Amino acid sequence: MGSPPGTGRSKRAFVFRAALPCLALTALHGAPAAAQTMTTPDLFNPNRGGFVARETLPTRKTTTDAAGTIDQPSVPGSELNKLKEPPPAPTRIGQLPSYDLKPASGAAASGYDSLNRKRTPPKYYPGQARPKRSPGPGTPPPPTPVRSSTGQPPPIAPPPSVNAARTPVPPAMAGNVPGQPARRRLKPDDDPFGAVGDYAGSFLLKGAVELSAGYDTNPARLNKPIGSPFYLIAPEFLAVSDWERHALVADLRGSFTGYTNTLPAQIDGAASPAPVDIDRPDFTGHIDGRLDVNRDLKLTSQLRLRLATDNPGSPNIQAGLARYPVYATFGTTVGVDQTFNRLQLNAAGTVDRTAYTDSKLTDGTTSSNDDRNYNQYGGVGRVSYDLKPGLKPFLEIEGDTRVHDQPADRNGYFRDSNGGYVKAGTSFEFSRILTGELSIGYTARNYVDPRLSQLKGFLTTGSLVWNASGLTTVKFITDTQISETAVPGGSGVLVRTYTAEVDHDFRRWLTAIGKFTYGTLDYQGLNRNDRTYSLQGDLIYKLNRNLWVKGTLRHDILESNVVGASSQGTVVILGVRLQN
């Protein structure tokens, strides 16, 4: 029987362990090693085959290949290679043919230069934009264009054919001249059909004239209307200085209304309360100046002139007149304006004179109006404070004295007086949507004649402009005036007016204006109160900056508590405006 599997494996392992030491001893006990030598003289020859004899080279020519050749002397391999290689061609560096032209002759300052010479850097004029360096490796790609809210890709640049038929623009106008400073961006034109004007030195001059014709159903504002056609000539002139410091502004506006019909000298057997000739002039002009002493101190002045007649329907108009007497009010104001941080102080003195022409009666005689002429001397002060941007409250106080040329008027009343007013309000500006000024106050005037009662009442003055939209503007204006009167027993007239106006542009060249005016006339001492209403609509067609066509429709109503003093009339006007 054979041995079990465990016994056979043990025997083989014993024989293997005995053979390992024997192999190790055999490797350690061997013959001494000897170095190989090389007897060829090309030991250090770096050429191919230097460690192998030429006779044993694999590429050595055989006897058949060497037949018919002449035996060459034995030479080293490096020398043999030099004999077989062709001689090198002569160098051409610095020996290029000229062909009667120098290399790179006539080359521009930019481009390729065959001699690789250093280029002269370009010269830039002062203010000229430098070209940007080209982006190098690692520059991030441009951002992906963002799609609009509608999901459409952004519009691509227009093709060159869009501008192909346009008139070429000079480089100076286009801003393409090297070194030209950037042109100042012009602000948007609020009125693209407004007058441009002309420059005369450092002044901007604007002029205009309106020529109109129409019909008035009651030009004299009589209780029993008598109509008449009329014509209207209204010139305007504006001059504004364009100075870095100081300022000078002249604003002159006038008009003349001529009626083709005349009124009768008598109505119902009595002298007419209106003149026979009802033509009326009107002029308002002022010249304002400002002298900037320093940043916070300014000197101000004004010259003003008002030329007009009494309003039709006024009780101051004499009966039996041939034409309206004309009065002129002219004067000056000199003041100072001082600023202390947010606090601003204004003080000014005023001098004015009012003078009337003599009245011409229908019977050919004249009547003097010297008793209505007077001088006024006064002063006004104002304190304002910038509470915050867009809100500036103020307090204003005024006092004056009126001295007439004649101590007593034609009815024996002494009308010299002293008076003044005090009012408080604020000016504001909210995001250019709502701007203006509002104030409320109180006025009082005392007369020398004890028979004349004190003239007093509340004052409301202000102006608001609301830009409801880009096409619609709403305006509100209120004002209070104190006027003299020649009616016996009357101290004066307290006149208040309230005006609301809406301007709407259907197109930039087509504008509609709606205006409503309400007024009260309080004749203190006469127990007379008048109320006026006026509803007006204008339509303006602007052909260009120099020519407008304007149409007006207005209806006026006068209601009085005095019997026979009420009136109303309708006015239709069509005209053109020429401006520059």
Side-chain angles (χ1 to χ4, degrees), residues 58-232:
T59 57
R60 178 178 176 272
K61 294 183 179 181
T62 60
T63 307
T64 307
D65 297 332
T69 61
I70 303 175
D71 295 339
Q72 300 292 335
S74 178
V75 293
S78 59
E79 298 295 335
L80 182 61
N81 294 335
K82 293 180 180 180
L83 294 175
K84 295 181 178 181
E85 296 177 357
T91 179
R92 293 182 296 173
I93 298 177
Q95 301 180 8
L96 295 176
S98 61
Y99 300 106
D100 297 333
L101 291 175
K102 294 183 179 181
S105 62
S110 61
Y112 174 74
D113 187 357
S114 60
L115 297 182
N116 196 23
R117 293 176 295 187
K118 184 178 180 181
R119 295 298 182 190
T120 303
K123 295 182 180 180
Y124 299 101
Y125 293 94
Q128 183 178 359
R130 268 59 171 177
K132 296 182 179 180
R133 299 179 60 182
S134 59
T139 304
T144 304
V146 181
R147 293 178 176 267
S148 60
S149 57
T150 58
Q152 300 294 332
I156 61 176
S161 58
V162 174
N163 301 326
R166 293 189 177 183
T167 305
V169 180
M173 295 294 297
N176 298 331
V177 178
Q180 180 183 5
R183 299 185 63 187
R184 183 177 61 180
R185 184 182 296 274
L186 301 178
K187 65 178 183 179
D189 194 349
D190 298 331
D191 188 2
F193 287 90
V196 178
D198 296 314
Y199 274 94
S202 59
F203 283 88
L204 175 62
L205 307 181
K206 293 184 179 181
V209 60
E210 290 189 10
L211 306 175
S212 306
Y215 186 83
D216 192 341
T217 60
N218 191 5
R221 296 301 182 262
L222 300 174
N223 184 255
K224 295 181 179 180
I226 300 177
S228 172
F230 68 91
Y231 61 91
L232 177 66

Side-chain angles (χ1 to χ4, degrees), residues 500-538:
E501 179 180 331
V502 179
D503 301 353
H504 182 74
D505 295 334
F506 297 102
R507 294 290 187 271
R508 297 196 302 174
W509 43 267
L510 185 61
T511 303
I513 302 175
K515 182 187 297 184
F516 174 75
T517 302
Y518 170 75
T520 61
L521 293 87
D522 183 10
Y523 293 85
Q524 296 188 5
L526 296 177
N527 194 23
R528 174 174 176 169
N529 294 306
D530 295 349
R531 294 190 300 270
T532 60
Y533 307 88
S534 178
L535 185 63
Q536 177 178 333
D538 297 334

Side-chain angles (χ1 to χ4, degrees), residues 448-465:
V448 175
D449 197 323
R451 294 174 294 176
L452 300 176
S453 61
Q454 185 186 45
L455 178 62
K456 57 184 178 179
F458 285 98
L459 300 176
T460 56
T461 58
S463 62
L464 298 178
V465 179

